[in-house]
Amino acid sequence: MEKNGAVRKKILNEFYKLACVHGYKRTSMRQLSDACGMSKGHINFYFKKKEDLMIALSERYHIAADATISSCKNIPDDALIKFLLHQILLCYLINEK
């Protein structure tokens, strides 16, 4: 993984941990910078605001769920079934950490 990708992943992982403990609203960028051992400016280079962190986390889990569903061979070509599987996988992926 390239350096920028590793830094971005570290920031997202630390944000996820803090948000699980303190909640989204009570997790501050200062807490995040302390947890990452980075300045707020360094984090701001990757994520301009806290909402960007939530979007990136959501994308991470949606991509993983989509990849899992795509790799399954015996799923009926039914939009509702795929949607429900996607939601179940998201719950699993988010709670497995």
Side-chain angles (χ1 to χ4, degrees), residues 1 6 10 14 20 22 27 35 38-39 41 43 47-48 51 53 55 58 63 66 70 74 82 84-86 88 91:
M1 178 181 292
K10 179 179 181 172
E14 293 300 326
C20 285
H22 304 288
T27 298
M38 301 174 195
S39 69
I43 291 172
F47 301 98
K48 301 294 181 209
E51 292 84 5
L53 288 156
I55 291 167
S58 177
I63 288 168
D66 288 344
S70 294
N74 294 324
K82 287 182 179 180
L84 293 173
L85 283 173
H86 192 268
I88 291 166
C91 290

Side-chain angles (χ1 to χ4, degrees), residues 49-82:
K49 54 191 183 225
K50 202 162 63 165
E51 292 84 5
D52 295 336
L53 288 156
M54 284 302 296
I55 291 167
L57 277 176
S58 177
E59 288 172 352
R60 174 194 281 182
Y61 291 117
H62 281 279
I63 288 168
D66 288 344
T68 301
I69 291 170
S70 294
S71 70
C72 294
K73 302 201 185 312
N74 294 324
I75 295 178
D77 192 21
D78 181 293
L80 180 58
I81 291 173
K82 287 182 179 180

Side-chain angles (χ1 to χ4, degrees), residues 3-52:
K3 185 178 178 183
N4 286 345
V7 172
R8 184 177 165 84
K9 183 177 179 177
K10 179 179 181 172
I11 295 168
L12 283 174
N13 289 344
E14 293 300 326
F15 178 73
Y16 175 80
K17 292 176 198 173
L18 288 167
C20 285
V21 172
H22 304 288
Y24 172 75
K25 284 188 175 183
R26 285 183 264 158
T27 298
S28 70
M29 294 302 275
R30 169 59 58 204
Q31 288 172 310
L32 181 59
S33 68
D34 291 345
C36 291
M38 301 174 195
S39 69
K40 283 177 29 177
H42 191 90
I43 291 172
N44 189 54
F45 176 79
Y46 294 94
F47 301 98
K48 301 294 181 209
K49 54 191 183 225
K50 202 162 63 165
E51 292 84 5
D52 295 336

